[in-house]
Amino acid sequence: MNKHKDFAPKTAAVLAILIVAVIATSLFATTRATNRALVRYAQIRLVTLAADRLAFSGDGDIGSEIANLRADIQSAHETDLLPDLDLVAADPIAPGAHLLELKIRDRAARRLGNIVVELNGQFRTIELISSIAIAMIAIAIIVFASYRNASLVAIEHEHRRQALAEQRVRNLRALIAAIPQIVWICDADGRVRFFNERWYDYTGQREDEAVGDGWIDVLHPDDRERALAAWESSVRSGQPYEIEYRLRAEDGSYRWFVGRGLPERNADGEIAQWFGTCTDVNAQHGEMENARRVADGFAQAQLPDRLPSTPLVHFDATYLAAEDVAQVGGDWYDAFQIRDHRYVFSLGDVTGHGLEAAIVMSRVRQAIVALASVEHDPAVILEKANRVLRVQGENMVTALCGIIDATTGRIIYASAGHPPSLILTRDGAIRELTGDSPPLGIADHIGVTTVTEQLHVGDRLICYTDGIIENDRNLLEGERRLREVLRRLTPFEAQESATAVRERILGGKRGRDDVAILVITRLGLVNSVADEITMPPIAGNA
């Protein structure tokens, strides 16, 4: 496009130079011809004047010459090359005859814008117009030569630029060919325009099958929705793209890859295209899966095999390890009976992840179990668990602990930096059990306090870790979603309330973080006479 833009002014410049040269040349030629005629006219006029005087001598030869000169004068007048000069008769032989020639030349020259001078007894006509014409031609030649040189320099510069660009393309192709990853390029709308050969070698797709949106067919069905949602989000926002997914090989097997993409922007800051890679991490993913199984297995082993079973209250709990193995390991729940109809429950989350966090979680949980056998105040239990954690120099832990009397529904409750538990009443109202003390492990004394609450028949106490409300990285939205799900629980879900809450929020998938949920439902009253259990219905809310 730039070449076409430059063509018109360049052509106009060349044409202008040529026109000036033609005009100047024509003017020069015409001026020279006219000036020669003027000189000839002056000579003829001088001889004629002399002839008029010599005619009386009777010289026949002179008479013949005069006749010829007069014919020349007549011809000059007929061609309109000579001006009409009013000459004064003079004697050309006299000493002043050269003055007459000078007058003739000068008057004729001035009619054409020239001047006449005498040099060494010779008359010279300085042709101003001819000189201007010659100067114009010289200028045109100089301008043309300068323009031609500039054009040659520009052409050479363009050739060098093109050669450099072609060399860069060759270098880029060589680099792409040497990279062990799959390389891809997308347009600003996220449609694939290019894959390197490694994509075709791995997937077995042809180019017409892969470009555009054809590559989506290679994604594992379980990863497709998640991967596409992340890609569409990056295309809209312009943020870097990174996600793990499985790609189908030519033989039908799947391997794990990390897809990464970065936008390239133009001078206006708009996205021009995307560059990205797919890196095979199947081996690392296998190692991570093994680590996940170890950490997850260890964490599951530290959780109680079974929860207390009583007709007065129902305990339901669930634990789900995080999707990312690096996030596995620090959540727990627990419930056990201490005497008569009194039950201790606890739930917590260890900062950090992996096997180390699972070990810390096990120590804190076991410390609470041991302390509950001798202490009957949840605040005291958490304070002493904090001292144990400080002595061992372990991580920070958020935790809650409570004791419920199954016969009365009275709850004694304490929290150390943990998300507030919720009480869902039979009529669908929700209220919080709050605590204002910091997490375990950050100071020798954390000032845990105890609160008392009443759980009526049909009410439910929901304790949870933050993995269930922070899965979408929006805490307020997560809390709102949890309350909405709780209100929609039906009476028939009382036995598996924890699992129902988890599945409705996570959709049957693992979350970004570990999730632990404990739900305690008060079912009925004890008839002190017949020692029978009455089970009033639980009102659900749609």
Side-chain angles (χ1 to χ4, degrees):
M1 183 175 293
N2 292 335
K3 293 182 179 179
H4 293 294
K5 290 181 179 179
D6 296 339
F7 178 76
K10 290 180 179 178
T11 303
V14 173
L15 290 177
I17 292 171
L18 291 177
I19 290 171
V20 170
V22 170
I23 294 174
T25 302
S26 300
L27 184 61
F28 175 72
T30 301
T31 304
R32 294 283 292 180
T34 303
N35 211 45
R36 285 195 299 270
L38 287 171
V39 173
R40 177 63 173 163
Y41 170 76
Q43 293 173 345
I44 291 172
R45 189 64 171 159
L46 288 173
V47 173
T48 301
L49 293 173
D52 290 338
R53 186 167 183 175
L54 295 174
F56 299 102
S57 65
D59 190 335
D61 293 335
I62 294 176
S64 174
E65 179 65 24
I66 290 172
N68 293 334
L69 291 173
R70 283 176 174 170
D72 289 342
I73 292 173
Q74 182 64 32
S75 175
H77 276 294
E78 291 175 355
T79 57
D80 199 26
L81 290 174
L82 302 176
D84 184 13
L85 300 176
D86 183 16
L87 300 176
V88 180
D91 186 355
I93 304 176
H98 72 285
L99 296 176
L100 177 61
E101 181 179 358
L102 176 59
K103 288 182 178 181
I104 294 172
R105 285 175 175 267
D106 184 60
R107 293 182 65 182
R110 290 182 185 279
R111 293 286 296 273
L112 295 174
N114 298 335
I115 60 174
V116 178
V117 297
E118 182 179 5
L119 298 174
N120 299 324
Q122 298 279 331
F123 294 114
R124 296 289 186 267
T125 300
I126 300 177
E127 302 167 353
L128 295 179
I129 296 178
S130 300
S131 300
I132 293 173
I134 293 173
M136 292 175 66
I137 294 173
I139 292 172
I141 293 172
I142 293 172
V143 171
F144 179 77
S146 301
Y147 168 76
R148 184 173 181 275
N149 290 337
S151 299
L152 292 175
V153 171
I155 292 172
E156 182 180 0
H157 177 74
E158 179 65 18
H159 288 168
R160 289 180 179 177
R161 190 191 67 78
Q162 292 179 356
L164 181 59
E166 292 172 358
Q167 182 61 43
R168 287 175 176 172
V169 170
R170 288 193 294 270
N171 293 342
L172 179 60
R173 290 186 178 276
L175 178 62
I176 290 175
I179 291 176
Q181 292 100 332
I182 293 170
V183 178
W184 48 266
I185 301 175
C186 290
D187 60 22
D189 296 327
R191 292 175 58 85
V192 174
R193 294 191 291 106
F194 168 82
F195 278 116
N196 66 347
E197 288 299 321
R198 295 188 183 277
W199 172 270
Y200 302 111
D201 292 343
Y202 175 77
T203 65
Q205 283 187 315
R206 299 188 309 271
E207 182 175 358
D208 61 330
E209 296 174 331
V211 295
D213 296 328
W215 63 276
I216 297 175
D217 295 336
V218 179
L219 284 171
H220 193 286
D222 293 344
D223 303 333
R224 191 169 298 167
E225 180 180 354
R226 176 176 55 86
L228 291 179
W231 175 235
E232 291 170 0
S233 176
S234 291
V235 171
R236 287 194 304 269
S237 65
Q239 295 299 311
Y241 172 71
E242 181 171 349
I243 194 172
E244 285 191 9
Y245 44 59
R246 286 163 287 184
L247 297 178
R248 186 183 65 238
E250 186 175 11
D251 61 3
S253 62
Y254 287 89
R255 295 180 65 86
W256 282 96
F257 285 80
V258 172
R260 296 185 177 93
L262 291 173
E264 180 189 25
R265 300 182 183 273
N266 57 25
D268 297 327
E270 299 173 343
I271 295 178
Q273 57 187 349
W274 288 78
F275 288 93
T277 60
C278 299
T279 305
D280 190 329
V281 293
N282 201 66
Q284 298 93 313
H285 203 275
E287 296 175 358
M288 293 176 66
E289 280 296 325
N290 291 335
R292 179 206 295 277
R293 284 192 291 270
V294 171
D296 195 10
F298 183 83
Q300 291 283 1
Q302 305 311 306
L303 299 176
D305 294 335
R306 62 181 60 85
L307 295 174
S309 177
T310 170
L312 301 177
V313 293
H314 177 74
F315 294 90
D316 182 48
T318 184
Y319 168 81
L320 185 66
E323 178 184 27
D324 185 355
V325 65
Q327 305 298 314
V328 173
D331 294 13
W332 88 85
Y333 64 84
D334 197 7
F336 52 92
Q337 186 176 11
I338 51 175
R339 63 173 60 89
D340 300 329
H341 298 296
R342 301 180 68 191
Y343 297 87
V344 175
F345 60 91
S346 69
L347 185 140
D349 183 6
V350 178
T351 59
H353 304 281
L355 186 58
E356 180 181 353
I359 293 173
V360 175
M361 174 269 289
S362 176
R363 290 174 179 170
V364 175
R365 173 179 169 266
Q366 293 300 331
I368 292 175
V369 171
L371 290 168
S373 64
V374 294
E375 298 291 347
H376 304 119
D377 185 344
V380 175
I381 293 174
L382 290 181
E383 279 285 0
K384 292 187 175 182
N386 175 65
R387 295 175 190 172
V388 173
L389 200 60
R390 294 283 291 174
V391 169
Q392 295 176 344
E394 303 290 2
N395 300 4
M396 183 177 70
V397 178
T398 66
L400 63 84
C401 179
I403 300 175
I404 180 172
D405 187 326
T407 59
T408 64
R410 181 171 178 267
I411 297 175
I412 305 173
Y413 174 91
S415 173
H418 200 77
S421 297
L422 303 175
I423 293 180
L424 175 65
T425 65
R426 292 180 59 189
D427 59 4
I430 295 177
R431 64 179 186 272
E432 293 184 353
L433 293 178
T434 59
D436 56 2
S437 65
L440 308 178
I442 68 170
D444 293 337
H445 178 72
I446 56 177
V448 183
T449 59
T450 300
V451 296
T452 302
E453 274 286 351
Q454 182 66 41
L455 201 65
H456 300 284
V457 174
D459 292 349
R460 304 176 193 182
L461 173 66
I462 299 95
C463 309
Y464 57 90
T465 57
D466 59 8
I468 198 65
I469 59 174
E470 294 181 352
N471 189 57
D472 293 329
R473 306 291 175 86
N474 187 328
L475 181 60
L476 295 178
E477 176 61 23
E479 292 178 345
R480 186 202 65 78
R481 174 63 174 158
L482 174 60
R483 290 169 182 259
E484 178 184 347
V485 168
L486 291 177
R487 290 190 179 98
R488 292 179 178 274
L489 289 176
T490 67
F492 304 102
E493 293 173 312
Q495 301 298 316
E496 296 182 354
S497 299
T499 302
V501 170
R502 187 198 73 197
E503 290 182 349
R504 291 187 182 184
I505 293 179
L506 298 180
K509 299 179 181 179
R510 295 179 183 270
R512 298 178 183 273
D513 196 0
D514 291 353
V515 171
I517 303 174
L518 174 65
V519 178
I520 303 173
T521 305
R522 189 175 179 204
L523 299 176
L525 299 173
V526 175
N527 187 321
S528 59
V529 177
D531 198 27
E532 295 179 352
I533 304 296
T534 60
M535 303 286 289
I538 301 174
N541 292 276

